[in-house]
Amino acid sequence: MLDLNTPYAISGSDIAFEVFDRDVIVLDMGNGKYYSFSDGGSAVWMALVDGVAPRDIVAFFSHGETLPSFVESLCDLGLIEARLDLPPVAPGPDLVAKLSDAKEAPDLTVFDDMADLFVADPIHDVEEPQGWPVVKQAQ
């Protein structure tokens, strides 16, 4: 069950993300899947990875009723985890503005079309004469 008072953090070193303007793309290098968010999902992601507890996100987010299921989805996908050892952080003014300006409910889209390329090991998993990204066949 989701604890709205607990801060969350990225679940491990296999999770990377990049912010492009107001859009967030998250990559799970362990399975090669990447994730794109709605504007509300991007704002919530930024708040969560900054250490803002969900209860503090709801205060500024017009789609607060959807927040628990969205955070649970992120946890189920292994992108974030509860961090009982960290104190919650108050959202800064820029983050409050992003949360307040979000027009869409938090949502994410999962992409796995390039998973093989993301998880390929270009040093060890290729045939030297053919180059990367030709993956060696299992023997």
Side-chain angles (χ1 to χ4, degrees), residues 4-137:
L4 295 177
N5 298 312
T6 302
Y8 289 78
I10 293 174
S11 64
S13 61
D14 281 348
I15 308 302
F17 73 95
E18 187 68 37
V19 179
F20 301 96
D21 191 22
R22 294 176 70 112
D23 296 326
V24 174
I25 303 295
V26 177
L27 171 62
D28 183 340
M29 292 179 279
N31 64 20
K33 294 179 182 176
Y34 62 101
Y35 307 86
S36 175
F37 299 108
S38 63
D39 73 332
S42 292
V44 169
W45 173 268
M46 293 305 301
L48 290 170
V49 300
D50 279 354
V52 179
R55 70 157 189 252
D56 297 325
I57 295 171
V58 171
F60 304 103
F61 190 53
S62 63
H63 304 282
E65 72 283 354
T66 62
L67 188 63
S69 63
F70 181 70
V71 174
E72 285 178 8
S73 295
L74 296 175
C75 290
D76 291 345
L77 291 167
L79 302 177
I80 61 172
E81 62 187 7
R83 292 296 304 268
L84 300 173
D85 59 323
L86 298 176
V89 173
D94 289 343
L95 197 47
V96 168
K98 287 177 187 170
L99 290 165
S100 299
D101 292 346
K103 303 208 182 338
E104 302 169 328
D107 193 19
L108 70 108
T109 304
V110 181
F111 298 93
D112 64 359
D113 55 323
M114 297 186 349
D116 292 341
L117 292 175
F118 285 135
V119 297
D121 180 350
I123 306 265
H124 301 101
D125 289 343
V126 297
E127 294 294 334
E128 187 65 35
Q130 295 173 328
W132 190 80
V134 178
V135 179
K136 288 182 183 179
Q137 298 300 314

